Amino acid sequence: NAGVTQTPKFQVLKTGQSMTLQCAQDMNHEYMSWYRQDPGMGLRLIHYSVGAGITDQGEVPNGYNVSRSTTEDFPLRLLSAAPSQTSVYFCASSYSLRGRGGTDTQYFGPGTRLTVL
Amino acid sequence: SQKIEQNSEALNIQEGKTATLTCNYTNYSPAYLQWYRQDPGRGPVFLLLIRENEKEKRKERLKVTFDTTLKQSLFHITASQPADSATYLCALEGDGSGNTGKLIFGQGTTLQVKP
């Protein structure tokens, strides 16, 4: 298994440009999520999905859109990039976070380092 | 909403000693708490999960405790090695129901083990 893959690894955008960060997993995980990581801020949840066709907002959703048309893929769209979106973006997946009996181990991708000028 | 606090200052210890990292949360007790390791330029990697009804969990040189009265988890690495140098993150569910996708993370504590 490839696990969780993310593309691209690095990206530079100009303010106002749009782009899509790709995330795919081959573990048949129901749950997928996007985080951004900034120095001193830790990982902050942007959006998450508990299954195909279902998405919800995390802590910092503004400026980002997501969709989940398949179990495997969970792309993150930046609609109009801003310098404040300069960050490292991580995608993660797990079997399920539903119910208090789950193990919910998160598997992270290698990250995308985004710079917005 | 839930907040997680980890010591933002780096922890420097000598090889062979026990490293102890702290994770405090502010509100409801979560159904579980997780610990991850992150190396520079890489995504976090899962280490251990401890549930609300467990007081202690061990895996090789790692030990995690969970005190719901103190709202605190401690992460111990015994007989530490330079290879243990990394940032360690704690995480827990975001709203207390155990039924959402809102897993939230602390900012992490960087451990440096000196030979």
Side-chain angles (χ1 to χ4, degrees):
Chain A
N1 288 348
V4 179
T5 58
Q6 291 183 240
T7 56
K9 284 188 172 21
F10 301 92
Q11 183 70 50
V12 179
L13 293 177
K14 294 182 180 178
T15 297
Q17 286 185 313
S18 64
M19 79 158 293
T20 299
L21 307 185
Q22 301 292 344
C23 174
Q25 52 90 10
D26 61 358
M27 297 173 282
N28 203 30
H29 285 169
E30 294 180 349
Y31 176 81
M32 296 185 75
S33 57
W34 277 101
Y35 291 87
R36 60 177 288 173
Q37 188 171 38
D38 303 293
M41 301 290 289
L43 287 160
R44 290 185 291 169
L45 182 64
I46 305 172
H47 284 286
Y48 64 97
S49 168
V50 298
I54 306 170
T55 64
D56 206 345
Q57 296 181 349
E59 303 170 78
V60 288
N62 293 339
Y64 308 95
N65 272 0
V66 292
S67 60
R68 184 96 178 268
S69 56
T70 67
T71 299
E72 295 78 19
D73 300 298
F74 191 43
L76 178 72
R77 297 183 189 85
L78 280 69
L79 308 172
S80 177
S84 61
Q85 293 179 306
T86 294
S87 187
V88 181
Y89 291 85
F90 289 101
C91 178
S93 72
S94 74
Y95 283 107
S96 175
L97 282 183
R98 281 171 288 179
R100 298 183 82 83
T103 58
D104 312 324
T105 297
Q106 297 290 307
Y107 295 82
F108 282 85
T112 293
R113 187 174 295 273
L114 176 68
T115 301
V116 182
L117 303 175
Chain B
S1 62
Q2 186 71 280
K3 282 191 177 181
I4 303 175
E5 295 167 355
Q6 293 186 259
N7 193 343
S8 58
E9 290 185 14
L11 178 63
N12 295 301
I13 65 168
Q14 207 65 35
E15 182 176 7
K17 301 292 186 184
T18 296
T20 299
L21 286 70
T22 304
C23 175
N24 295 300
Y25 56 93
T26 57
N27 293 330
Y28 56 85
S29 282
Y32 57 79
L33 190 146
Q34 302 179 6
W35 283 89
Y36 290 79
R37 169 183 173 140
Q38 186 174 24
D39 293 288
R42 293 181 176 267
V45 175
F46 172 79
L47 294 175
L48 281 169
L49 177 147
I50 186 165
R51 299 189 188 282
E52 58 185 337
N53 60 349
E54 298 175 320
K55 291 195 174 178
E56 183 179 297
K57 201 80 165 283
R58 290 176 186 262
K59 179 183 177 183
E60 297 173 353
R61 294 185 295 112
L62 308 180
K63 184 178 84 171
V64 172
T65 62
F66 194 5
D67 188 326
T68 56
T69 302
L70 293 178
K71 296 186 176 180
Q72 181 181 82
S73 174
L74 297 179
F75 178 80
H76 307 272
I77 306 176
T78 58
S80 60
Q81 304 165 0
D84 295 326
S85 299
T87 297
Y88 292 86
L89 305 162
C90 72
L92 45 83
E93 50 159 331
D95 77 351
S97 71
N99 197 35
T100 74
K102 289 188 176 180
L103 189 68
I104 60 173
F105 283 79
Q107 75 269 40
T109 298
T110 297
L111 172 67
Q112 190 73 34
V113 181
K114 298 183 178 179

